[in-house]
Amino acid sequence: MNFLLLFKAELKRSLLMMKRYPIETVTSVVVLYMFFMIFFLAGKMVGGTSPSSPIVLGKTMGGLILGYVMWFFAIIAITEMSWGISQEAQAGTLEQVYMTSFGPVAVFLARFLADLLPNLIIITILLFLLMVSTGIYLSFPLFSTLLVVGLTILGLYGFGFILGGMALIFKRIGQVAQVLQFVFLFLAMTPVEKLPSSIQIFAQTLPLTQGVKVMRLVILEHRALSQLQMLKEIAILIINSFGYLVLGILVYLWMDRIARNKGLLSHY
C-alpha cells in the first residue's frame, strides 16, 4: 500500500513534467522520427526500392521498425537512471530521496514505473508516424506485446541500476551511457542469428537482445506464446530479465555503500 502511494506521487510528478514541458516531449518525438527515417531511407538505397528488401541493419523494414521501438525503451533505462541521479546530485535533492522512509531503490523503481505511461504515449505516437511514413503496418497482439515489453524493461532497468550506482560514485557518466546507446541500437537493429557466433554468445547475455528476438517472433512471424519453442524463449527472457534486475539492484546497493562511506552523496 505504501509503495502504491509512492507510485501515485511519482506518476503525478511525471505527468506534470510532461504537461509543463510539452516542447521537450514534441522534440523527442521529432528527433527520434527523423533519426529513424535516415535509417529507413539508407536501407532503401542499399536494399532497393521495395520496402521489404533485405537491408544491412535488419531482416526486413518491419524488423527495423520493431527493433527501433525496443531500442527506445533501452534509451530510457540506461539514461534515465544515470542522468536522473546526476541531476538530483547537481540540484542538491539526492539526499532528500535518501531521507524518505521508502529508501532510494523503492523511489527509483516507482519513478521508473510511473515514467512508463508518458513514455508509452511517446512511443505510440512515434510508432504511428513511422508506420504511416513507411507504409509498413505491424499488428501488435495486446497480451503478448505487453508481456514481452514488460519483461524486457525489467532487465533494462536492472542495467540502469548498475549505471545509477556508477553515477553515485563517478557523478558524470554521460559518455558511457551514449556508448551503450549505440551498442544497444546495433543489437536492436540486427537479428542476433546474423551476428558472428563469438558475438552471439555475448549479445544473448544482454537484457535487450532476447526481448527483441521474442518480439520479432511474435510480431513478424506471428508465433503464439503457447507454442513449445516460444515457451522456451519466454523462459529465457524471464531468467535474463529478473537476473539483470536483481544484479542491478545489488550492484547499486554495493556502490551506494561505497558512496556513503566516502561521503560522496552530498557532493557533486
Side-chain angles (χ1 to χ4, degrees), residues 35-70 127 130-140 188-191 212 216 219-220:
F35 190 42
F36 176 83
M37 291 308 296
I38 293 174
F39 278 106
F40 178 77
L41 295 175
K44 292 186 68 173
M45 292 176 62
V46 172
T49 57
S50 172
S52 60
S53 299
I55 61 172
V56 175
L57 294 177
K59 185 179 179 180
T60 63
M61 288 296 181
L64 193 65
I65 294 175
L66 189 58
Y68 193 72
V69 169
M70 295 298 287
L127 181 60
L130 293 180
M131 290 193 295
V132 170
S133 299
T134 60
I136 301 172
Y137 295 91
L138 302 175
S139 176
F140 292 86
M189 296 297 192
T190 309
V212 173
R216 283 197 173 105
I219 305 302
L220 301 180

Side-chain angles (χ1 to χ4, degrees), residues 3 81 97 102-111 161 249 252-253:
F3 184 81
M81 187 71 170
V97 173
F102 300 99
V105 173
V107 171
F108 290 130
L109 277 175
R111 187 168 296 176
F161 268 108
I249 292 175
Y252 178 86
L253 292 174

